[in-house]
Amino acid sequence: MRVSEEGMTIEDVARLAGYERKDFSVCLGCKICGSVCTINDLSVAANPQALLLSLFLQKELKNDDPVLHYCTNCYNCTTACPWHIRIPEIVRAVKGKMGMETPFEKAFKSSVGIWGRVYEPYVFLKALSFLIRGGYLAYVMRWKEYVTFHLPHKVRNMGDAWQKSARQRKAR
Ligand code: SF4
Ligand code: SF4
């Protein structure tokens, strides 16, 4: 997708992100953001500064840009940037414009729309087909602690009570 075809400008992105162009115009091009970007730990050559530059120059934005796909919203880039430019908010605005929501992002929004909060079991179920297709269920045991934490209290208490009685039976 080309930014110009969509009529997306740095002003649009700034507005969607809740800022003004001048908040992003101070970029020095120093690439410190890229040097601390979490995604680069995965060796995918993410360059947040290049995304910003493409927007300023009205250049083509590639929807396979790793920053757009994998930004974790960790704000390492913002913390390290001499001007504290908020790259994650730029990423969110661009993705919204390009319709690039991940299944989890869609599920989060849908959950907030229904319950006014992120309801984890709903998010999990909503993203289930994506997880199955991607083979992620192989990691479900690693999520055990997370999944258990989000079970309803009554179910969790039943598990605790069962473990307690099992220990007592063993001790006799
Ligand atoms: S917020 Fe996104 S772009 Fe910034 S360092 Fe983290 S992963 Fe990289
Ligand atoms: S660290 Fe800040 S000033 Fe430097 S390139 Fe990245 S966004 Fe621009």
Side-chain angles (χ1 to χ4, degrees):
M1 185 196 94
R2 291 188 69 84
V3 179
S4 52
E5 280 167 12
E6 288 293 307
M8 183 163 53
T9 64
I10 188 77
E11 283 84 4
D12 290 331
V13 173
R15 184 176 41 76
L16 287 167
Y19 303 105
E20 292 175 29
R21 181 191 171 112
K22 68 177 169 55
D23 296 320
F24 305 137
S25 301
V26 289
C27 176
L28 299 164
C30 62
K31 297 193 176 69
I32 291 174
C33 48
S35 72
V36 298
C37 178
T38 305
I39 308 168
N40 281 324
D41 292 347
L42 306 172
S43 307
V44 292
N47 184 353
Q49 184 263 341
L51 177 68
L52 198 54
L53 191 63
S54 297
L55 280 167
F56 272 113
L57 298 179
Q58 292 280 287
K59 282 173 64 181
E60 185 176 359
L61 281 192
K62 295 192 173 73
N63 57 13
D64 60 354
D65 184 327
V67 180
L68 294 178
H69 273 276
Y70 304 117
C71 175
T72 60
N73 294 306
C74 66
Y75 282 84
N76 274 357
C77 51
T78 306
T79 306
C81 171
W83 305 108
H84 297 310
I85 293 176
R86 302 164 186 94
I87 300 284
E89 282 142 60
I90 296 171
V91 169
R92 281 199 290 277
V94 171
K95 284 177 70 176
K97 266 286 214 189
M98 292 172 91
M100 277 182 66
E101 281 178 323
T102 67
F104 272 100
E105 285 164 338
K106 282 184 192 152
F108 286 145
K109 276 191 189 166
S110 168
S111 178
V112 171
I114 296 171
W115 287 287
R117 59 162 285 222
V118 175
Y119 185 48
E120 290 80 4
Y122 171 83
V123 169
F124 181 79
L125 287 175
K126 194 93 176 150
L128 192 58
S129 63
F130 160 75
L131 295 171
I132 292 170
R133 272 185 279 120
Y136 292 102
L137 286 191
Y139 302 97
V140 81
M141 288 314 283
R142 290 198 195 168
W143 302 344
K144 207 173 114 209
E145 195 178 334
Y146 175 82
V147 172
T148 311
F149 178 78
H150 290 290
L151 285 173
H153 289 299
K154 276 188 185 166
V155 178
R156 265 197 288 159
N157 291 344
M158 274 167 60
D160 291 345
W162 185 82
Q163 277 182 352
K164 198 174 161 191
S165 72
R167 273 199 301 274
Q168 283 169 348
R169 279 199 303 276
K170 226 174 167 182
R172 274 184 219 140

